[in-house]
Amino acid sequence: MSQCKKALDGKALISIVAGVTVERLQNMIDGTPRILRLLPNTPAMVFEGAFALCSDNDLTEDELEAAKSIYSTIGVVEMIPEHLLDAACGLSGGGPAYVAMFIEAMADGGVKQGLPRATAYRLAAQTCLGTAKMILEKGIHPGELKDMVTSPGGTTIEGCEALEKAGMRGAVIECINVSTEKSRSL
């Protein structure tokens, strides 16, 4: 950006660079650009992205509304303070990889039990998609949704117990922790 010298002075910029603060970006540029930090994720490719926009910005109200309008056409937009953007990077920036790993693991379990690979992938992916839609569109708390399909003494509670014994929650929380810390260290 230093090559741009004064050409960026007073201009509104959007940065999608993980871990690079507005202050650091401004120090790289001659002049005083107005910068909006934004954390995108790859599901935007299918109009289901999750965008964290920095609420600590100096864009005009019209510029900020334009940015929100653009990104809301390809996903959901959350305005958060800059100090939380690293957490958004750890959660939704890397989240597609973590969800893909979960889908792959679910499908592998189905294949182990005899399902054809393509069927197992479709069932696992659609289950994740449908579950996410129930949480987002119906406002169902994840714990409540889990309880909706967990019968006393049934198959789902057996599976939940296996996930708890294997440390799934702790592993996922630690995944977000280390990813967030990596973003902070950039």
Side-chain angles (χ1 to χ4, degrees):
M1 285 198 293
S2 61
Q3 302 92 323
C4 297
K5 299 287 180 197
K6 292 277 186 183
L8 298 176
D9 189 33
K11 302 286 193 248
L13 305 174
I14 295 176
S15 170
I16 62 168
V17 182
V20 180
T21 66
V22 168
E23 180 181 8
R24 193 164 148 206
L25 289 167
Q26 287 173 331
N27 289 335
M28 298 167 76
I29 301 168
D30 287 340
T32 53
R34 293 171 290 110
I35 300 172
L36 172 65
R37 281 190 65 201
L38 175 143
L39 257 283
N41 69 3
T42 55
M45 295 167 57
V46 293
F47 303 97
E48 295 292 349
F51 300 93
L53 276 66
C54 181
S55 60
D56 310 330
N57 66 75
D58 53 2
L59 269 63
T60 67
E61 191 174 316
D62 287 344
E63 290 167 338
L64 184 57
E65 284 307 312
K68 287 165 56 175
S69 177
I70 289 167
Y71 290 103
S72 68
T73 65
I74 54 176
V76 299
V77 172
E78 292 289 332
M79 298 296 298
I80 61 173
E82 186 172 28
H83 75 276
L84 294 178
L85 285 178
D86 293 315
C89 182
L91 176 66
S92 59
Y98 317 143
V99 172
M101 290 173 69
F102 185 71
I103 290 170
E104 183 178 41
M106 286 179 64
D108 284 349
V111 169
K112 182 177 181 183
Q113 295 302 318
L115 289 173
R117 171 77 51 196
T119 300
Y121 277 139
R122 278 193 307 276
L123 290 172
Q126 185 62 41
T127 298
C128 288
L129 176 65
T131 302
K133 285 183 87 161
M134 288 177 74
I135 291 168
L136 290 173
E137 293 179 10
K138 302 245 182 242
I140 299 172
H141 186 279
E144 181 183 350
L145 191 115
K146 176 187 62 83
D147 289 348
M148 287 170 60
V149 297
T150 306
S151 307
T155 60
T156 304
I157 194 63
E158 290 292 324
C160 289
E161 181 184 28
L163 288 172
E164 291 293 349
K165 281 182 179 177
M168 183 193 128
R169 283 179 200 263
V172 171
I173 291 168
E174 184 60 15
C175 165
I176 304 305
N177 287 342
V178 300
S179 182
T180 298
E181 289 306 314
K182 178 64 175 183
S183 181
R184 285 187 182 126
S185 74
L186 294 176

